Amino acid sequence: MSKPSRVLGVLGGMGPLATVDFLHKLIEETPATRDQEHIPVIAYSVPQIPDRPPAIIGRGESPLPQMLEGIHTLKRAGAQAVAIACNTAHFWYDDLLRQGGLPILHIADAACADLVTLAGQSVQRVGLLATQGTVAAGFYQSRFAAHRIDCVLSSDHDQHTLVLPAIECVKRNDLALAHTLATHAARNLLSQDAQGAQAIVLGCTEIPLALEYQASDVSSRCIDATRALARACVAWWRAT
Amino acid sequence: MSKPSRVLGVLGGMGPLATVDFLHKLIEETPATRDQEHIPVIAYSVPQIPDRPPAIIGRGESPLPQMLEGIHTLKRAGAQAVAIACNTAHFWYDDLLRQGGLPILHIADAACADLVTLAGQSVQRVGLLATQGTVAAGFYQSRFAAHRIDCVLSSDHDQHTLVLPAIECVKRNDLALAHTLATHAARNLLSQDAQGAQAIVLGCTEIPLALEYQASDVSSRCIDATRALARACVAWWRAT
């Protein structure tokens, strides 16, 4: 049997359940009828790494050395490109690209491609459900701006009482409560009268796990960045 | 942040969805309230490998070289022990142990430990839902015998019309049909009158995905070898 032509490296562990969700969506997005038609993947899911949001606002140790160790490990193991199953980690995208030595498929590029395809060219206001670190990093806002899309953010109050608690619930596997909190935050983004978002990008890999826990009225308005990244990886692999 | 004390290597890709199921159960079985308390894992999920069952009955290329390459890659990447998310692959357990250079947690040891704990010491007849390759390999039957447990197998007819088609359905992500087929096979093992099994070991990593697709009357009688292996990995990690 011939060797696989391309191997995808997955930098995960931020968090572990989000990594599994990404790997699952990678399978769902791959047209395959038997094992051998699926994408060869090596996943580095080592969660012993500093939390990303506090590091971005200068209040915690940088996770960059551990992320680089992960990418170097993936490269030595045979990966030819990397997907990072964590939005906030993309704050260090340029450093990881420069020092990691592998191409990295950017999750926000993937999400914006899906947004334009799924929500249509006429979309003008898009909500972003994300960590404070991702919001501060600004890589979603700059991509939205390139498409002349205004970014609608959660209020500080919603961020601290709904979004962050939802993410923390996913990390301790309490998906029912996470769902209630994240759905509430999504509804608030959609309902700010004239300023309301027409669609929402789920820009934190824990958030889709929360929203998908059960069906809801907001799900049809949401773009899942995790699934978008999975689609981009499938396209990368099939372009061999 | 200190380095993780022990890293678990996961030899997967046989098939990819079963690997994701194992990684998910590993998280579910780990008592953790935040990312950093989860087990550090490197997963090698390269499905470009010969199918295992035909190789066991001498009708196909051996997957051993690719499995060894996987274990060597995991070892170089820092893994200190290996879990194999495929029952049939354990046919090559001794070769993998000898030539791979890492301890391997045996999925049938884990399943039998769960069987005795969950089904009780008095269990006498246990069904085995598995590939023909796993049945031929005999590693479940020998472990059952050590506990004075008789192994009840599916008929040849059920094996070819229910068990193998269910596994193939999972590999092409048709879980609804897989569920119908696998549930039927399980019921037949439980209902063979006096010869009926008192419990069933799900000895193929695709079968739990089929059975868990929705609730059924057989689920309470089933021991999930995938979850048992996850539990054994958690115990290995916590024994540091």
Side-chain angles (χ1 to χ4, degrees):
Chain A
M1 182 161 291
S2 61
K3 283 192 131 191
S5 51
R6 286 177 153 193
V7 175
L8 177 70
V10 175
L11 184 63
M14 305 174 283
L17 195 59
T19 304
V20 169
D21 185 50
F22 171 73
L23 294 172
H24 190 199
K25 286 169 179 165
L26 195 63
I27 293 169
E28 287 184 334
E29 294 294 332
T30 307
T33 56
R34 59 192 197 105
D35 289 356
Q36 290 79 3
E37 292 166 5
H38 280 279
I39 302 182
V41 171
I42 301 172
Y44 181 91
S45 184
V46 176
Q48 284 69 31
I49 180 170
D51 285 320
R52 280 66 59 200
I56 291 178
I57 54 171
R59 292 196 194 151
E61 193 183 344
S62 171
L64 181 61
Q66 277 96 331
M67 286 196 281
L68 279 172
E69 185 175 336
I71 290 182
H72 293 150
T73 301
L74 290 169
K75 188 176 184 183
R76 282 195 306 271
Q80 278 113 4
V82 170
I84 306 176
C86 171
N87 287 270
T88 315
H90 286 71
F91 175 78
W92 292 272
Y93 181 83
D94 290 346
D95 292 323
L96 294 170
L97 205 56
R98 199 166 34 233
Q99 301 175 52
L102 281 178
I104 304 171
L105 290 88
H106 199 301
I107 196 166
D109 286 339
C112 285
D114 265 22
L115 173 65
V116 172
T117 305
L118 299 175
Q121 291 286 351
S122 64
V123 68
Q124 291 178 306
R125 291 182 309 283
V126 172
L128 177 63
L129 278 181
T131 64
Q132 203 57 43
T134 295
V135 171
F139 53 78
Y140 271 106
Q141 294 94 315
S142 58
R143 282 165 176 79
F144 287 0
H147 290 282
R148 300 184 180 282
I149 292 171
D150 289 336
C151 183
V152 183
L153 296 171
S154 297
S155 66
D156 282 351
H157 181 261
D158 276 12
Q159 191 70 25
H160 287 101
T161 59
L162 299 173
V163 182
L164 297 186
I167 294 167
E168 287 166 358
C169 282
V170 172
K171 289 182 182 293
R172 61 172 188 262
N173 209 19
D174 183 355
L175 297 182
L177 181 54
H179 175 81
T180 304
L181 296 165
T183 308
H184 193 159
R187 275 194 207 107
N188 285 354
L189 282 176
L190 293 169
S191 70
Q192 294 166 11
D193 304 323
Q195 298 301 311
Q198 298 159 296
I200 297 174
V201 167
L202 310 180
C204 167
T205 52
E206 269 76 27
I207 297 286
L209 283 155
L211 283 176
E212 290 164 10
Y213 175 70
Q214 58 190 44
S216 81
D217 51 305
V218 299
S219 56
S220 66
R221 310 273 293 274
C222 293
I223 307 291
D224 176 357
T226 306
R227 188 175 292 281
L229 181 60
R231 279 197 237 269
C233 291
V234 173
W236 168 80
W237 190 63
R238 288 167 69 92
T240 311
Chain B
M1 183 161 291
S2 62
K3 284 193 131 189
S5 51
R6 285 178 153 193
V7 176
L8 177 69
V10 175
L11 184 64
M14 304 175 284
L17 195 59
T19 304
V20 169
D21 185 50
F22 171 72
L23 294 172
H24 190 198
K25 285 168 180 167
L26 195 62
I27 292 169
E28 287 183 335
E29 294 295 331
T30 306
T33 56
R34 59 192 197 108
D35 289 356
Q36 290 79 2
E37 292 167 5
H38 280 279
I39 302 182
V41 171
I42 300 172
Y44 181 90
S45 183
V46 176
Q48 284 70 30
I49 180 170
D51 285 320
R52 282 65 60 200
I56 291 178
I57 55 172
R59 292 195 194 151
E61 193 183 344
S62 171
L64 181 60
Q66 277 97 331
M67 284 196 281
L68 279 172
E69 185 174 337
I71 291 181
H72 293 150
T73 300
L74 290 169
K75 188 176 183 184
R76 282 195 306 272
Q80 277 114 2
V82 171
I84 306 175
C86 171
N87 287 269
T88 315
H90 286 72
F91 175 78
W92 291 273
Y93 181 84
D94 290 347
D95 293 322
L96 293 170
L97 205 55
R98 200 164 35 233
Q99 300 175 54
L102 281 178
I104 304 171
L105 289 87
H106 199 301
I107 195 166
D109 286 341
C112 285
D114 266 21
L115 173 66
V116 172
T117 305
L118 300 174
Q121 292 286 351
S122 63
V123 68
Q124 290 178 307
R125 291 181 310 283
V126 172
L128 177 64
L129 277 181
T131 64
Q132 203 56 43
T134 295
V135 171
F139 53 78
Y140 271 106
Q141 296 93 315
S142 58
R143 282 165 176 79
F144 288 180
H147 289 282
R148 300 185 180 280
I149 292 171
D150 289 335
C151 183
V152 182
L153 297 170
S154 296
S155 67
D156 283 350
H157 182 260
D158 276 12
Q159 191 71 25
H160 288 100
T161 60
L162 299 174
V163 181
L164 297 187
I167 294 167
E168 287 166 357
C169 281
V170 172
K171 289 183 184 291
R172 60 171 187 265
N173 209 19
D174 183 355
L175 298 182
L177 180 54
H179 176 81
T180 304
L181 296 166
T183 308
H184 193 159
R187 275 193 207 107
N188 286 353
L189 281 176
L190 294 169
S191 69
Q192 295 165 11
D193 304 323
Q195 298 301 311
Q198 299 160 295
I200 297 175
V201 167
L202 310 180
C204 168
T205 50
E206 269 77 27
I207 297 286
L209 282 156
L211 284 176
E212 290 165 10
Y213 175 71
Q214 59 189 46
S216 81
D217 52 306
V218 299
S219 57
S220 66
R221 310 274 292 275
C222 293
I223 307 292
D224 176 357
T226 305
R227 188 174 294 280
L229 181 60
R231 278 196 239 268
C233 290
V234 173
W236 168 80
W237 190 62
R238 288 166 69 92
T240 310

